[in-house]
Amino acid sequence: MSTPPSAPVTAPTPASGSASASTSPASRRRRPILLLLAVAAVVGSAVYGVNWWRVGRFIESTDDAYLKADSVTVAPKVVGYVTEVFVQPNQAVKRGDPLVRLDRRQYEAMLAQAQATIEARKADIQRAEADILQQKAQLAQARAQVQSASVALAHAQQEVDRFAPLVTTGATTEERLAELRNTRDQAKATLAANQAAEAAAASKIKSTEAQVAQSRAQVQGADAARSQTYLDVDDTVVRAAIDGRIGDSTVRVGQLVQPGTRLMTLVPVQEVYLVANFKETQIGRMRAGQPVTLHVDALPDLDLHGEVESFSPGTGAQFALLPSENATGNFTKIVQRVPVRIHVTADAAMRERLLPGLSVTTEVDTRDHAQPTSASHASTREGHHG
């Protein structure tokens, strides 16, 4: 009787055996790591949430912020050719330093002419004053002649009055009385002539005195013209109005410039400040004096600090060249931005690196005034008025 063949026994492959053997220990090793990561995520989220609740929700930030400085345009006050330029582009200067010199010869000639005019008018005054002295002597002589003529007229009238009754008695002749009357009339005419001469002498003195007053006024006018010309001579040297650095210089030697021609720009880099354009929905809790953290794009490794200084009296759209008119046509609401001026706290060396126009990310901490009271509003207003 034959024995039936036995069923083949399938042995496990080495690959499947090793995979099953290694799966369990690896998963056991990953579990603590995943658990730690989950715990870290939960803790991180909790810390972030607490930090946001305590600090983050009070931070208002914007990247629409740029450094600025109140630059001054350097321009001459007089016309002339540039003869010398004392500064180089980007050079630091102090207030009062000479920047540009213009040709001053024509103004010096005008100054000499004004001085000569003053001297001429002073000579006119001296001559007129001498004429007044002479005319006063003539006036005194005329008055003496008037007095003498008055005495002669009085004597002639007395003679006429004395001899007139004698004619009726026949003690004297009519011819004698006629001669006396003729003498009296001549005395009257002489007195009138002397009185006219006296009036003419007095009038001439007044006329000469008026000429003296006119000459003195001309001296004052010439003196004012001399002062103006002196200022013009001084203005041929264009000086720095403030401390700063030279920027955008376009002046060249030999260039003809007119009053108001822009020669260069003087930038007060030591007085740089920040203007951040916050959305209108961000300024509700902002107040002057709040701390600010600044991140300058050009200086990524540095964190600067400052404080809110003031707010613009209107949104940026109010001061645009073409303000928007929302009362016409269809309306689409657009969030407005309010320029906020921020004082930058930095030393002199750092301010040399803070150039106007650089982009800045600004973060304002509004926690101090998150819930302003009426008393804080009053103190804030007093601070602004002060």
Side-chain angles (χ1 to χ4, degrees):
M1 185 174 175
S2 60
T3 304
S6 60
V9 179
T10 303
T13 61
S16 61
S18 62
S20 60
S22 62
T23 299
S24 179
S27 61
R28 286 196 298 269
R29 286 196 299 270
R30 284 198 297 268
R31 286 176 184 173
I33 297 176
L34 294 176
L35 182 60
L36 289 176
L37 291 177
V39 172
V42 172
V43 173
S45 299
V47 172
Y48 175 81
V50 172
N51 183 69
W52 177 87
W53 180 258
R54 296 181 58 188
V55 180
R57 65 193 182 105
F58 299 109
I59 302 298
E60 299 291 351
S61 63
T62 182
D63 58 358
D64 187 359
Y66 305 93
L67 293 174
K68 289 190 175 183
D70 296 330
S71 303
V72 175
T73 299
V74 178
K77 297 180 181 179
V78 296
V79 61
Y81 286 93
V82 177
T83 59
E84 190 173 0
V85 179
F86 298 104
V87 293
Q88 300 295 328
N90 307 326
Q91 177 180 337
V93 296
K94 295 293 185 180
R95 179 179 180 180
D97 288 349
L99 305 177
V100 177
R101 184 190 299 278
L102 306 181
D103 189 357
R104 61 193 300 175
R105 291 176 295 177
Q106 59 177 339
Y107 299 105
E108 290 176 342
M110 294 171 62
L111 180 61
Q113 182 179 1
Q115 183 63 39
T117 302
I118 291 176
E119 298 299 330
R121 297 290 81 80
K122 288 183 177 179
D124 292 341
I125 292 175
Q126 293 178 354
R127 184 178 63 253
E129 288 177 345
D131 291 342
I132 289 175
L133 293 178
Q134 183 180 0
Q135 291 165 5
K136 285 183 177 179
Q138 294 175 356
L139 177 60
Q141 181 180 0
R143 286 175 178 173
Q145 291 175 351
V146 168
Q147 185 177 4
S148 175
S150 298
V151 173
L153 176 59
H155 176 71
Q157 185 64 45
Q158 290 176 357
E159 289 294 315
V160 171
D161 294 339
R162 186 166 63 87
F163 279 91
L166 297 178
V167 174
T168 57
T169 59
T172 186
T173 62
E174 289 287 344
E175 290 79 4
R176 178 59 179 168
L177 181 60
E179 291 176 0
L180 293 176
R181 287 175 178 174
N182 185 39
T183 302
R184 180 197 62 185
D185 293 340
Q186 290 180 358
K188 286 182 179 180
T190 302
L191 177 61
N194 291 337
Q195 288 175 341
E198 179 186 11
S203 176
K204 194 172 183 180
I205 290 176
K206 292 181 179 179
S207 176
T208 307
E209 289 176 345
Q211 292 178 1
V212 171
Q214 181 180 5
S215 297
R216 287 176 177 169
Q218 291 175 349
V219 168
Q220 293 179 352
D223 186 66
R226 180 182 62 178
S227 299
Q228 179 61 51
T229 308
Y230 180 80
L231 292 177
D232 292 341
V233 172
D234 186 66
D235 289 338
T236 55
V237 178
V238 183
R239 300 181 182 274
I242 58 174
D243 297 346
R245 290 170 59 186
I246 302 299
D248 193 22
S249 177
T250 59
V251 62
R252 299 293 182 269
V253 174
Q255 179 181 354
L256 176 63
V257 296
Q258 302 288 338
T261 302
R262 185 175 64 85
L263 305 179
M264 61 189 70
T265 302
L266 195 55
V267 183
V269 293
Q270 294 298 330
E271 299 177 5
V272 67
Y273 59 91
L274 179 69
V275 174
N277 302 300
F278 285 93
K279 296 179 181 179
E280 56 184 324
T281 56
Q282 295 180 286
I283 65 172
R285 292 193 298 259
M286 285 190 190
R287 300 292 184 272
Q290 290 176 338
V292 184
T293 302
L294 311 177
H295 306 280
V296 183
D297 292 358
L299 306 173
D301 298 332
L302 295 177
D303 287 342
L304 302 179
H305 300 280
E307 65 177 20
V308 177
E309 185 173 331
S310 61
F311 296 84
S312 172
T315 64
Q318 295 298 313
F319 303 104
L321 180 60
L322 297 175
S324 61
E325 181 55 63
N326 296 328
T328 60
N330 296 328
F331 170 71
T332 301
K333 184 176 181 180
I334 300 175
V335 178
Q336 301 297 308
R337 289 186 178 267
V338 179
V340 179
R341 178 163 175 155
I342 297 173
H343 173 73
V344 180
T345 303
D347 55 16
M350 178 57 65
R351 286 183 177 273
E352 290 290 337
R353 305 173 64 184
L354 300 179
L355 305 179
L358 293 180
S359 301
V360 180
T361 300
T362 306
E363 298 178 353
V364 179
D365 189 350
T366 63
R367 282 179 293 176
D368 293 342
H369 298 277
Q371 296 178 350
T373 61
S374 59
S376 64
H377 276 302
S379 61
T380 302
R381 286 194 300 269
E382 292 176 0
H384 281 306
H385 289 303

